[in-house]
Amino acid sequence: MEDYAIRLENAKEVLQNAEAILIGAGAGLSTAAGLEYSGEAFQRNYPEFIQKYHFTDLYTASFYNFPTQEEKWAFWARLIQQNRFNEKPLELYQKLYYLVKTKEYFVITTNVDGQFEKAGFPSEKLFLVQGDYSLLQCEEGCHNKTYYNENLVKRWLKETKDGRIPTELVPKCPVCGKNMDMNLRKDANFVQDEHWYKQAEKYEAFLQKYQGKNLVLLEIGVGFNTPSIIRFPFENMVYHNGKTILIRINKDYPFVSEEIRNKAISFQEDVSSMIEDLSL
């Protein structure tokens, strides 16, 4: 890579001249912002679950098939509160908002923690491809509707005892009567509700509007967990559109395909410092 100062100035110039900015964000952004899925915070907040089920981190624990619904929702209540309904917006997301707010922009993200909206990004400019911690759906996806869970989460937290919620608080589908689940893309039953499709249409309209124009793809923290959603499409857009430029910020995977190397600027540096430097 070129010297950081050179890459930084190039990126700032590209952003300044952009007619529009498309942000593509993955888990690396929230990690850099301070959301913790392992370590001391995990040990402190989930002791009984760690002791009973030998969980090592929140990410893998979120795929665990709990033996009872009462335990499942006691666990998820803590996770949702910690990573979705925490009171203060994360500073890094606020910095990112101030970086792009005067431009035409749109956001596509695989993150499900709601931090973009908490930081000031309007919901109509966000395409949350993989779901949202704040939403429930029918476990079997029997109908295409999701349900906001904040009030229920508060009740779960208040009434959890010995790692279980009361049986009467176990959520049931209002249509088929079966269990509810998180609205997270983990299997074929993932519900894409009316809002999901509306935002998908807005995303496509944004791409069409700025095709052939000075569009900057600002990709942050996108690895290879689900590269077909953001990482690969972004590189494809750069390859096929002459004026589109990619700025990739990624601590672990900063490299770009050889075919677009002259139309991409990569950063392996600290994400928080990068966003702040770009704003100066």
Side-chain angles (χ1 to χ4, degrees):
M1 292 185 183
E2 292 179 301
D3 179 76
Y4 173 69
I6 296 175
R7 285 180 285 127
L8 178 63
E9 286 307 311
N10 289 340
K12 291 172 72 170
E13 182 178 357
V14 163
L15 289 170
Q16 181 65 36
N17 294 332
E19 294 178 71
I21 299 170
L22 175 60
I23 296 173
L29 175 59
S30 284
T31 299
L35 283 188
E36 299 182 47
Y37 279 72
S38 60
E40 190 274 331
F42 174 65
Q43 298 286 333
R44 183 179 66 252
N45 291 317
Y46 302 87
E48 69 270 46
F49 294 103
I50 295 171
Q51 181 178 9
K52 186 173 183 178
Y53 296 112
H54 308 290
F55 292 155
T56 58
D57 62 88
L58 268 186
Y59 179 74
T60 55
S62 68
F63 291 95
Y64 186 72
N65 185 22
F66 285 91
T68 70
Q69 291 290 302
E70 288 82 357
E71 289 175 285
K72 170 182 176 176
W73 293 113
F75 169 81
W76 274 102
R78 282 185 222 177
L79 193 158
I80 297 166
Q81 180 63 33
Q82 177 184 340
N83 287 344
R84 180 62 172 86
F85 295 131
N86 51 335
E87 294 181 4
K88 296 181 180 179
L90 297 173
E91 184 179 3
L92 179 54
Y93 277 88
Q94 291 178 302
K95 290 179 181 178
L96 183 58
Y97 174 62
Y98 287 116
L99 177 65
V100 302
K101 70 174 186 175
T102 61
K103 291 280 189 177
E104 291 294 320
Y105 70 88
F106 197 84
V107 177
I108 178 172
T109 182
T110 54
N111 294 345
V112 296
D113 48 44
Q115 295 302 322
F116 276 103
E117 192 167 357
K118 287 171 67 69
F121 288 84
S123 60
E124 63 267 21
K125 290 181 176 288
L126 304 174
F127 182 24
L128 310 179
V129 185
Q130 303 288 67
D132 190 323
Y133 280 150
S134 71
L135 300 176
L136 301 182
Q137 64 162 80
C138 173
E139 187 175 59
E140 298 191 3
C142 78
H143 64 295
N144 292 333
K145 186 176 179 180
T146 58
Y147 301 85
Y148 192 65
N149 62 29
E150 184 174 12
N151 289 335
L152 190 55
V153 167
K154 290 178 180 178
R155 289 194 66 189
W156 287 340
L157 290 170
K158 183 178 180 180
E159 300 190 37
T160 291
K161 185 177 181 180
D162 298 325
R164 302 166 63 92
I165 67 166
T167 299
E168 60 269 23
L169 291 185
V170 171
K172 298 292 183 178
C173 175
V175 175
C176 71
K178 295 183 179 179
N179 291 325
M180 297 288 275
D181 204 352
M182 295 296 297
N183 180 232
L184 304 174
R185 190 185 299 277
K186 61 179 182 178
D187 55 33
N189 293 329
F190 175 69
V191 168
Q192 297 174 175
D193 62 11
E194 181 179 351
H195 181 73
W196 190 98
Y197 284 107
K198 183 184 295 184
Q199 296 311 112
E201 290 175 1
K202 289 181 179 180
Y203 174 55
E204 291 300 326
F206 184 89
L207 295 180
Q208 289 295 322
K209 180 178 180 179
Y210 291 104
Q211 187 173 7
K213 298 181 180 180
N214 292 328
L215 174 64
V216 174
L217 310 181
L218 180 57
E219 182 196 289
I220 310 171
V222 179
F224 288 93
N225 190 16
T226 52
S228 61
I229 296 175
I230 297 174
R231 190 178 180 102
F232 292 165
F234 272 30
E235 291 202 354
N236 189 57
M237 279 186 264
V238 173
Y239 181 75
H240 288 286
N241 295 281
K243 293 184 178 181
T244 300
I245 296 176
L246 171 66
I247 298 175
R248 173 167 286 161
I249 306 174
N250 197 305
K251 179 182 178 181
D252 299 314
Y253 309 105
F255 51 84
V256 297
S257 299
E258 186 64 35
E259 293 83 357
I260 64 166
R261 190 170 299 277
N262 64 338
K263 296 177 61 185
I265 308 170
S266 295
F267 295 91
Q268 198 171 12
E269 287 78 9
D270 174 73
V271 178
S272 185
S273 298
M274 267 296 314
I275 299 301
E276 187 168 342
D277 288 348
L278 284 172
S279 302
L280 296 177

